[in-house]
Amino acid sequence: MQAAGASPSVPFCRASRRPSARLAARTAAAVLALAVAAAGCTGSDGGSGADAPSGAADAPGGAPARFYGQTIDWRDCGDDGARCGTFEVPLDYAEPGGERLEIAVRRIPATGSDPIGSLVVNPGGPGGSGFEYADSAARTVGEAVRERFDIVGFDPRGVDRSSPIACLDRSEMDDFIAVDFTGPGGGSDPADVGETGLRELARLNRGFVEGCREDSGDLMMHMGTDEVARDADVLRSALGDDELTFLGKSYGTYIGAHYADRFPDRVRALVLDGALHPSADIVELGMRQAEGAEVALRSFVEACLEVADCPLGGPGDDVESATERLAGLLERAGREPLRSDLDDGRPANRSWLELGIHSALYSESSWPRLSTALDEAFDGDGTRLLRMAGDLYNRGDTAEYTNYTSALVAVNCSDRQSPRDIGAFEEAAERADKTAPLFGAPLTWGGLTCAYWPEEAVAEPEPLDAPGAPPILVVGTTRDSATPYAWARTMAGELESGVLLTREGDGHTAYGRGSDCVDSAVDTYLLRVEPPEKGTVCP
């Protein structure tokens, strides 16, 4: 839900059934990323009826021994020999004899005859489907990695096929994601929403939480990443792996860091690409993410101005004037929405257009599409930007949403501390507007849902240092639009065995994005658990 541009939890990574961009400029919660794990040493079809691993019942944060060594009943489910199944975990690890959840998992067998084990992958979000991402990951990893690892993806608890959490219907979700509280078209300044705006923001954010309570009241209390990490350890056992090999992107890095901290002796190799800040509260997270988005926007504008048909200007124009032209477009759309051919109930107003712009900043490959969309928008047609904004939150042109946004908000609010006073968000939005004029206030307001989340469901902050774990590879991109590079430095520094690999460039995450230097370093680490030298920088 958004205050004249407040994004609900902005996704840190984008994992959907179709390619989608991932940063929203106007909703009401916060944002996160992606994780992947690979482990052990059997790729056999039975998954592993192995006995519970040593110390399973007593491991900090682990499940009772009876959840370990489950046998997954694999079935054919696609090309490349893909096999799918489910395993069980307790809803509440404090009451393991109570309700259970079924977690959906997809495995694509290694192409070679001598597999090392499983590589567990997660595309981020939170709310992204690891089950769906397995296919993409199998095409992205290096050939040698593909030969030696089964690629395994699972939908975390509350996501898609794994007991999905539900909070709002489509029209309610539209209002939540792109708040328009000033009448037709919206147009108020997200850094100065006024009393009417504050009341509407409070109403919508409370409504989201109440919707979760009505539809998924028990599950919403157990959506934190700490519990997802415990689920991942049960999966590791069911796969027959003694140790976990994991590839997590964006929010997935948070899953990996939690896993390492809980089970440092069960880590084989973890790649944490596009890292989240390990300890920032929900307000700080939104503010810092907005600054990263502004850096990415500047890179796009600079590249755009180098071509003759740039809708923001041309050679000789400066970035500041081009950005002001963009801001003027958004202000006009705030006063009167642009036209749209989608006819799906959403106005092409300021909030939705900002989301469309933000979505394209996740990848340089989306910049040409953004340039075309802006050219059309200056001619009064917001159709393309509106479609891009819908992709960000897994909403088709006229289709229902997936449960992506519900899971995104629920996880963020479960993981991060939040002020309980709306005035704290108002003050932070004003500050963020000064450091990140386009995205600062919207992304800061994006965490407001967490002010109303049940306090007993929110994790207490604690360091994620994973003492005793083998080397953990953290990868950061210098102009990442969703997870600022500073977060990768912070996570690598907090993890006792963290090793930072830097990619100098644009876009969200680094592995599989065209840098041979990054890809080679990650592949070597996954295959031999040999990280690059500390301080390595790749183009």
Side-chain angles (χ1 to χ4, degrees):
M1 69 176 39
Q2 312 210 62
S7 307
S9 296
V10 172
F12 285 110
C13 251
R14 317 182 327 184
S16 65
R17 297 180 184 177
R18 56 187 176 279
S20 78
R22 280 195 179 178
L23 254 180
R26 295 183 180 274
T27 322
V31 182
L32 295 171
L34 125 77
V36 177
C41 59
T42 85
S44 65
D45 214 46
S48 131
D51 293 336
S54 173
D58 302 321
R66 67 177 174 272
F67 285 96
Y68 285 91
Q70 294 181 52
T71 298
I72 297 176
D73 184 14
W74 297 106
R75 67 183 187 282
D76 293 334
C77 62
D79 299 332
D80 298 325
R83 308 278 282 166
C84 299
T86 61
F87 64 99
E88 288 189 336
V89 296
L91 169 68
D92 182 356
Y93 277 87
E95 298 183 7
E99 184 178 347
R100 298 184 178 194
L101 301 176
E102 275 198 346
I103 306 297
V105 59
R106 180 182 182 91
R107 190 186 70 195
I108 302 174
T111 58
S113 59
D114 184 26
I116 293 172
S118 308
L119 174 62
V120 180
V121 297
N122 180 280
S129 170
F131 185 101
E132 293 286 347
Y133 180 62
D135 285 335
S136 175
R139 295 190 297 269
T140 299
V141 300
E143 182 178 349
V145 173
R146 185 72 184 84
E147 289 177 356
R148 300 299 304 278
F149 288 97
D150 295 342
I151 307 299
V152 177
F154 71 101
D155 284 352
R157 56 172 56 210
V159 173
D160 207 355
R161 296 169 180 80
S162 296
S163 305
I165 189 170
C167 299
L168 299 175
D169 64 24
R170 187 184 69 180
S171 62
E172 291 170 333
M173 192 66 80
D174 281 345
D175 291 342
F176 175 77
I177 287 175
V179 165
D180 174 10
F181 50 77
T182 60
S188 72
D189 183 352
D192 182 20
V193 300
E195 290 302 316
T196 300
L198 289 176
R199 286 194 298 271
E200 181 68 351
L201 280 170
R203 182 187 71 81
L204 288 167
N205 281 279
R206 285 196 182 101
F208 183 96
V209 175
E210 287 308 309
C212 297
R213 199 187 310 275
E214 290 174 10
D215 292 333
S216 306
D218 291 335
L219 181 58
M220 74 181 290
M221 304 301 292
H222 301 283
M223 286 290 293
T225 301
D226 178 65
E227 289 171 293
V228 175
R230 300 181 195 190
D231 297 344
D233 196 51
V234 175
L235 172 60
R236 173 200 57 75
S237 172
L239 294 169
D241 293 339
D242 292 332
E243 298 171 322
L244 180 67
T245 306
F246 180 80
L247 169 61
K249 295 200 170 184
S250 195
Y251 162 74
T253 65
Y254 206 49
I255 298 174
H258 270 276
Y259 185 91
D261 195 59
R262 287 285 178 184
F263 310 106
D265 59 334
R266 299 183 190 172
V267 169
R268 178 184 173 273
L270 307 182
V271 177
L272 310 182
D273 183 8
L276 289 187
H277 194 289
S279 58
D281 69 15
I282 207 71
V283 170
E284 181 74 9
L285 204 69
M287 293 175 69
R288 299 288 83 82
Q289 189 182 25
E291 292 171 4
E294 296 278 345
V295 170
L297 176 66
R298 185 178 184 91
S299 290
F300 161 73
V301 172
E302 288 175 343
C304 183
L305 291 176
E306 293 177 359
V307 299
D309 58 350
C310 174
L312 299 175
D317 290 331
D318 58 38
V319 172
E320 285 68 28
S321 62
T323 304
E324 288 175 6
R325 177 168 164 77
L326 179 60
L329 170 69
L330 295 173
E331 289 171 5
R332 291 193 296 276
R335 293 191 297 271
E336 181 177 355
L338 307 185
R339 67 178 181 274
S340 167
D341 297 333
L342 296 185
D343 191 28
D344 64 357
R346 293 179 297 154
N349 62 10
R350 175 175 178 166
S351 294
W352 281 113
L353 297 190
E354 281 185 3
L355 287 172
I357 293 167
H358 202 172
S359 73
L361 299 179
Y362 278 88
S363 172
E364 291 170 271
S365 65
S366 297
W367 289 3
R369 186 184 181 200
L370 175 57
S371 183
T372 299
L374 289 175
D375 190 45
E376 293 172 353
F378 279 111
D379 284 340
D381 185 355
T383 303
R384 196 180 299 265
L385 280 177
L386 195 58
R387 182 176 286 116
M388 292 162 66
D391 286 348
L392 185 62
Y393 287 101
N394 287 12
R395 183 202 200 280
D397 292 347
T398 58
E400 297 292 331
Y401 286 90
T402 67
N403 91 308
Y404 176 75
T405 302
S406 293
L408 171 73
V409 176
V411 174
N412 285 338
C413 292
S414 297
D415 281 348
R416 305 280 174 168
Q417 296 287 305
S418 171
R420 295 280 156 171
D421 175 13
I422 195 171
F425 285 88
E426 184 179 24
E427 187 273 334
E430 292 174 357
R431 286 189 286 118
D433 185 62
K434 294 179 173 60
T435 58
L438 187 61
F439 297 117
L443 289 182
T444 302
W445 279 117
L448 182 61
T449 318
C450 302
Y452 309 106
W453 203 253
E455 291 189 68
E456 60 271 29
V458 182
E460 292 293 333
E462 57 183 36
L464 296 176
D465 48 5
I472 297 171
L473 184 59
V474 180
V475 188
T477 298
T478 54
R479 295 183 294 279
D480 193 310
S481 62
T483 52
Y485 176 66
W487 291 357
R489 289 203 311 264
T490 299
M491 180 173 280
E494 186 165 309
L495 290 166
E496 189 175 273
S497 59
V499 177
L500 178 62
L501 172 64
T502 298
R503 170 178 168 257
E504 178 68 38
D506 297 291
H508 184 38
T509 74
Y511 182 52
R513 294 181 58 85
S515 169
D516 291 340
C517 172
V518 169
D519 293 352
S520 177
V522 171
D523 288 349
T524 298
Y525 170 71
L526 288 173
L527 291 164
R528 300 200 291 268
V529 198
E530 296 175 0
E533 292 185 12
K534 289 189 175 182
T536 297
V537 178
C538 290

